[in-house]
């Protein structure tokens, strides 16, 4: 067991730190949370900056050390978050890298890395959320195209996306896990209507997407026809397994800030609150260690992140909510003022036990696939 | 960074597990329950011969010359087997009290919190025990005394090894719960097929895995703040795990026959050792103000 940087890792860390110190002060001001075109431009601009400096593909690096150092150092330095690049960089891109053909990798991966294209995820439907394989959006072959009709919902960043990782049903007669296909759909194709949905935090972060005979070339299919469920499992393993790990570092930073604020406003003297902050410190330290453990194990097994990601996701989503509930106790009445820091984060943390598979679904996965308990009804 | 067990560490863990499976299986555990307050000296010597108490003692002093990570793995196995005895105190005495390293001498110690385990059975007791009062210990496998007016600060190694024992007990609770959930049938199917049961088992595993990462990391860094975090999470995993394991066992879990209560009682007892609860939380809170959260 080893937690120290290897000499190469240490060098990478030092170089990255120095670079961040130089580049962060030159960044333009962050756009407001509701300004989606502004956020797209800002997030892609940051990705481009990373690309030019040689850091763009860090999330896809083989070395777990480098990847975690990148997440740790950028967060500590307060660098921009992947933001609109989330789906492309953290799960669509890695899925294409793992499952796509050489042409597909050449077509889609470089623009993601260069910060030119944004992806969204069209998995959920109004009647297929937790039961994802119940999806009904249809696609049938017409010459060299699939023709797609149906609708998707809760699609994050759909308004500003160029591409959508889309699940469609290509064989309605097959058992429900077998007739699914994974497609890359261009979001500017005729027949697509995006209708923004307002979240409980007040912003239009996700949308409904209506598909009316949208034509998607057959060459845009990743994996075989009707073998999309297997490809989907790859995508979900990235989404649950590794996409959230950087946020743990951010939570640790917030916790430090909360302690300072509590000291300033006197609430630090409340032993119950102080101990809760202490317990959260333990929690986020442990979650970071669990991340290091999972990443090391995945590397040793030479493959994709495993179902251990569900263990992490369950605990992390809950811890994040506790963090911001505690923030509200530190703020007191000010926690009712949406202009105060942390209040918006508290609202958005409510989605963490739902999005990317609810906690109930994660518990099923842990129980059945790790502990081997029988499937039931 | 390669945060996983090395081959040697795996071998060591398997070795300790094998020894305990041979020498302290379920029958031995239940026999010990029926003979409370008596320590198996032969087993103690066998542990000594296997190097259990001398793991961190330099080879030059007749020890095994390994580090905290290996020691933590061994103590985790002890916790998993619910091995009784003043294991932490004897381990800490190795190299200082003659015979401790070899398992010839049983060493008890006054905990910083003022409790002493195995006072009357021990050959040597570290600390001032004047006025010690016996308690009717809740754990049938751990005799207890209270000593008035104790307290030095807790030794971080003792805090960590307690966390390692808790981790092992939490693992055992998870194993027992899953085993029972697979075997016991109700409504014509294994109870593990019911989501309510399944979700209890999943949470058991989550607590174990989070605690494991924290305990192993603390063993690597030996940092007191990491150790405090490890202890909090391991205490939670052991106590919460034993409770959930009891729930999964239903009425059988509430009997003396089932082992579940032994897990819970030992876990409770260890939470009272110095360095848990409030003490760790305060340490971790103070760390936030000194910038440690970042
Ligand atoms: C902020 C946010 C962003 C999202 N972004 C995207 C996106 O970009 N792309 C996308 O495709 N999707 C996205 N989603 C959708 C998300 O994946 C789904 O909301 C989620 O999978 C749950 O599905 P559902 O909403 O249909 O809830 P339902 O499946 O209807 O679940 C409702 C409740 O029932 C419980 N439940 C359902 N089935 C079971 C079961 N078998 N056992 C026990 N309990 C069960 C659930 O746990 C939940 O508590 C997003 C969601 C949120 C909140």
């Amino acid at each position: 067991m080893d937690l120290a940087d290897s000499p190469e890792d240490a060098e990478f860390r030092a170089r990255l730190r120095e670079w961040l110190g130089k580049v962060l002060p030159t960044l333009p001001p962050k756009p407001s949370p509701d300004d989606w075109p502004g956020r797209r431009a800002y997030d892609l601009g940051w990705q481009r900056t990373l690309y030019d400096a040689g850091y763009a593909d860090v999330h896809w690096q083989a070395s777990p050390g480098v990847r975690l150092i990148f997440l740790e150092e950028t967060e500590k330095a307060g660098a921009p978050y992947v933001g609109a690049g989330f789906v492309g960089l953290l799960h669509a891109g890695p899925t294409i890298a793992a499952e796509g053909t050489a042409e597909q990798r050449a077509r889609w991966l470089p623009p993601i890395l260069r910060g030119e294209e944004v992806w969204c995820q069209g998995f959920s439907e109004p009647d297929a959320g937790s039961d994802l394989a119940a999806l009904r959006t249809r696609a049938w072959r017409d010459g060299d195209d699939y023709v797609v009709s149906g609708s998707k919902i809760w699609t994050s960043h759909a308004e500003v996306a160029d591409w959508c990782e889309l699940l469609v049903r290509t064989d309605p007669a097959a058992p429900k896990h077998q007739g699914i296909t994974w497609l890359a759909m261009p979001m500017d194709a005729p027949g697509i209507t995006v209708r923004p949905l307002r979240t409980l935090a007040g912003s239009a972060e996700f949308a409904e997407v209506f598909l009316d005979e949208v034509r998607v070339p057959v060459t845009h299919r990743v994996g075989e026809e009707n073998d999309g469920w297997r490809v989907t499992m790859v995508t979900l393993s990235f989404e649950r397994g590794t996409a959230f790990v950087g946020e743990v570092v951010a939570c640790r930073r917030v916790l430090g800030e909360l302690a300072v604020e509590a000291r300033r406003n006197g609430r630090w003297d409340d032993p119950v609150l102080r101990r809760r902050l202490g317990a959260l410190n333990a929690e986020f330290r442990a979650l970071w260690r669990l991340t290091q453990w999972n990443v090391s194990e995945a590397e040793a097994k030479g493959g994709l992140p495993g179902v251990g990601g569900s263990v992490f996701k369950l605990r992390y989503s809950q811890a994040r909510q506790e963090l911001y509930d505690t923030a509200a106790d530190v703020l007191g009445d000010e926690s009712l003022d949406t202009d105060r820091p942390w209040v918006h984060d508290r609202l958005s943390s409510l989605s963490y036990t739902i999005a990317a598979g609810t906690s109930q679904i994660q518990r099923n996965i842990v129980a059945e696939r790790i502990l081997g308990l029988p499937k039931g009804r | 960074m390669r945060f996983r067990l090395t081959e040697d560490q795996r071998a060591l863990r398997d070795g300790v597990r094998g020894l305990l499976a041979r020498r302290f299986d379920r029958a031995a555990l239940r026999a010990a329950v029926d003979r409370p307050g008596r320590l198996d000296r032969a087993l103690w010597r066998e542990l000594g011969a296997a190097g259990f108490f001398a793991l961190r003692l330099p080879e030059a002093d007749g020890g095994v010359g390994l580090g905290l990570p290996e020691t933590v793995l061994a103590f985790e196995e002890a916790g998993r087997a619910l091995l009784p005895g003043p294991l932490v105190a004897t381990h800490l005495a190795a190299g200082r009290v003659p015979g401790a390293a070899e398992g010839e001498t049983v060493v008890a110690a006054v905990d910083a919190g003022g409790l002493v385990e195995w006072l009357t059975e021990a050959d040597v007791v570290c600390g001032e025990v004047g006025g010690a009062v016996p308690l009717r210990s809740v754990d049938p496998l751990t005799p207890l005394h209270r000593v008035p007016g104790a307290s030095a600060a807790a030794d971080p190694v003792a805090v960590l090894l307690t966390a390692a024992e808790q981790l092992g007990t939490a693992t055992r609770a998870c194993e027992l719960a899953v085993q029972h959930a697979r075997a016991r049938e109700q409504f014509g199917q294994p109870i593990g097929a019911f989501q309510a049961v399944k979700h209890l088992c999943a949470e058991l595993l989550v607590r174990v895995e989070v605690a494991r990462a924290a305990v192993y990391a603390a063993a690597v860094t030996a940092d007191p703040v990491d150790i405090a975090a490890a202890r909090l999470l391991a205490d939670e995993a052991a106590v919460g795990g034993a409770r959930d394991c009891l729930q999964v066992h239903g009425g059988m879990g509430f009997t003396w026959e089932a082992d579940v209560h032994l897990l819970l009682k030992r876990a409770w007892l260890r939470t009272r050792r110095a360095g848990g609860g409030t003490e760790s939380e305060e340490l971790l809170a103070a760390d936030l103000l000194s910038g440690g959260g970042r």
Side-chain angles (χ1 to χ4, degrees):
Chain A
M1 284 188 286
D2 181 12
L3 286 164
D5 289 349
S6 68
E8 305 85 71
D9 288 355
E11 205 232 287
F12 176 81
R13 192 192 290 278
R15 214 165 13 96
L16 176 62
R17 246 186 218 171
E18 196 197 319
W19 178 76
L20 286 167
K22 274 200 300 241
V23 77
L24 292 183
T26 70
L27 290 186
K30 280 195 179 135
S32 89
D34 289 331
D35 171 12
W36 278 96
R39 282 175 67 177
R40 176 190 154 104
Y42 184 87
D43 295 343
L44 290 183
W46 171 240
Q47 182 60 24
R48 179 74 205 192
T49 308
L50 289 171
Y51 180 83
D52 290 338
Y55 292 117
D57 64 346
V58 79
H59 299 294
W60 303 352
Q61 280 265 357
S63 152
V66 162
R67 192 161 169 253
L68 291 188
I69 289 166
F70 179 82
L71 292 168
E72 212 178 348
E73 293 298 327
T74 46
E75 250 317 321
K76 277 187 188 167
Y81 179 61
V82 285
F86 186 88
V87 172
L89 278 165
L90 301 182
H91 53 88
T95 302
I96 292 166
E99 296 291 331
T101 62
E103 296 82 58
Q104 290 175 335
R105 290 201 293 269
R107 166 61 190 88
W108 286 310
L109 300 186
I112 293 175
L113 295 179
R114 285 195 301 260
E116 290 163 5
E117 291 181 345
V118 166
W119 284 68
C120 65
Q121 179 187 37
F123 282 15
S124 305
E125 297 184 4
D127 292 323
S130 298
D131 189 7
L132 183 54
L135 64 91
R136 290 210 292 248
T137 292
R138 281 275 288 122
W140 58 94
R141 283 288 277 271
D142 181 31
D144 292 337
D145 290 336
Y146 285 106
V147 180
V148 184
S149 282
S151 71
K152 295 287 169 177
I153 198 169
W154 322 124
T155 319
S156 305
H157 313 154
E159 269 186 288
V160 295
D162 305 285
W163 293 93
C164 179
E165 48 174 14
L166 185 75
L167 296 185
V168 294
R169 183 157 301 284
T170 32
D171 183 357
K176 73 179 188 179
H177 292 88
Q178 284 168 29
I180 295 172
T181 299
W182 200 107
L183 298 178
M185 176 177 76
M187 288 297 284
D188 60 359
I192 301 179
T193 308
V194 175
R195 208 184 65 179
L197 289 166
R198 197 158 175 229
T199 72
L200 59 72
S203 58
E205 188 172 300
F206 50 29
E208 266 179 297
V209 179
F210 300 96
L211 307 167
D212 182 16
E213 305 210 338
V214 180
R215 298 190 83 87
V216 179
V218 172
T219 52
H220 286 25
R221 185 187 71 215
V222 175
E224 295 305 311
E225 184 170 297
N226 297 329
D227 190 30
W229 187 251
R230 195 187 53 77
V231 184
T232 302
M233 290 302 111
V234 173
T235 309
L236 295 184
S237 76
F238 284 112
E239 186 178 13
R240 287 159 192 173
T242 49
F244 294 112
V245 299
E247 297 183 15
V248 175
V249 187
C251 287
R252 292 187 64 183
R253 179 167 45 76
V254 169
L255 199 51
E257 289 164 8
L258 281 180
V260 171
E261 173 62 18
R263 170 85 136 220
R264 195 196 59 75
N265 72 20
R267 291 203 170 78
W268 188 254
D269 298 333
D270 172 359
V272 175
L273 182 61
R274 198 171 59 232
R275 281 183 221 145
R276 255 172 80 193
L277 289 166
L280 281 166
N281 187 6
E283 185 72 27
F284 284 103
R285 277 169 178 265
L287 282 165
W288 182 247
R289 298 315 192 184
L290 183 63
T291 300
Q292 292 176 313
W293 183 266
N294 284 344
V295 166
S296 298
E297 286 284 325
E299 188 209 26
K301 293 187 179 118
L304 305 169
V307 278
S310 291
V311 172
F312 173 84
K313 205 245 171 194
L314 263 170
R315 186 78 174 215
Y316 170 67
S317 55
Q318 201 182 331
R320 189 179 171 102
Q321 290 174 0
E322 279 164 22
L323 171 68
Y324 287 109
D325 283 347
T326 307
D329 290 342
V330 169
L331 287 172
D333 290 347
E334 289 179 49
S335 68
L336 301 176
D337 175 355
T338 29
D339 282 338
R340 291 288 297 160
W342 302 315
V343 177
H344 186 270
D345 295 313
R346 186 187 193 198
L347 292 170
S348 71
S349 77
L350 297 171
S351 74
Y352 277 68
T353 46
I354 298 169
T358 68
S359 294
Q360 284 69 36
I361 297 300
Q362 306 298 339
R363 287 190 194 101
N364 287 351
I365 292 172
V366 169
E368 288 166 14
R369 294 205 227 142
I370 302 181
L371 297 176
L373 289 172
K375 278 195 182 279
R377 320 191 21 85
Chain B
M1 180 210 68
R2 279 215 164 59
F3 187 39
R4 56 195 303 270
L5 299 189
T6 62
E7 282 314 310
D8 288 349
Q9 285 166 344
R10 265 170 221 284
L12 178 118
R13 184 199 57 192
D14 294 348
V16 178
R17 187 175 295 183
L19 168 71
L20 292 175
R22 270 194 319 279
R23 281 295 277 107
F24 196 71
D25 61 2
R26 175 150 201 279
L29 172 72
R30 297 309 305 207
V33 173
D34 294 338
R35 247 190 312 109
R38 298 235 305 281
L39 210 54
D40 180 346
R41 295 282 179 150
L43 172 56
W44 206 257
R45 272 190 291 272
E46 240 176 282
L47 287 170
F52 187 90
F53 302 114
L55 276 170
R56 288 184 309 129
L57 205 58
E59 283 176 89
D61 302 332
V64 186
L66 291 171
L68 261 186
E70 289 76 19
T71 310
V72 155
L73 293 174
F75 273 75
E76 180 187 343
E77 289 308 317
R80 188 165 162 277
L82 278 191
L83 188 67
L87 296 162
V88 176
T90 303
H91 176 89
L92 289 175
R96 291 190 286 123
V97 174
E102 295 78 20
E104 297 296 334
T105 312
V106 174
V107 184
V110 181
D111 183 80
L115 289 171
V116 197
E117 299 172 14
W118 293 96
L119 175 64
T120 46
E121 188 76 351
D123 305 312
V124 174
V125 184
C126 301
E128 189 42 64
V129 289
V133 184
L135 304 183
R136 213 156 74 84
S137 175
V138 69
D139 175 14
L141 288 172
T142 311
L144 275 180
H145 283 72
R146 252 209 98 67
V147 184
S151 188
D155 173 354
V157 175
V159 177
L160 177 63
L161 295 183
T162 296
E165 289 184 284
Q166 293 287 56
L167 171 61
T169 296
T171 306
R172 172 80 168 260
C174 186
E175 288 165 356
L176 283 182
V178 171
Q179 220 175 341
H180 188 74
R182 284 210 196 106
R184 170 75 170 169
E185 295 200 1
Q186 289 291 0
F187 301 94
Q189 57 179 330
I191 55 167
F194 298 112
Q195 230 177 31
V197 174
K198 202 173 265 187
H199 287 191
L200 279 176
C201 294
E203 288 296 336
L204 266 157
L205 183 77
V206 170
R207 285 193 297 258
V208 167
E209 292 301 312
V210 172
R212 181 183 312 286
V215 170
Y216 289 1
V220 172
T221 66
D223 169 50
V225 186
D226 279 340
I227 290 176
R231 178 64 188 277
L232 279 182
L233 293 161
D235 279 354
E236 180 205 347
V239 173
R243 275 182 183 280
D244 285 352
C245 180
L246 194 149
Q247 186 66 21
V248 170
H249 277 74
M252 184 194 283
F254 196 68
T255 65
W256 190 265
E257 280 316 299
D259 296 343
V260 187
H261 70 111
L262 300 175
L263 299 177
L264 181 57
K265 289 166 179 174
R266 188 75 64 85
W268 272 344
L269 182 136
R270 294 194 198 106
T271 63
R272 305 304 310 173
R273 288 194 196 149
T278 311
E279 219 175 310
S280 283
E281 284 169 357
E282 289 286 2
L283 182 67
L284 283 148
D287 167 68
L288 287 175
L289 279 183
S290 63
R294 278 140 286 172

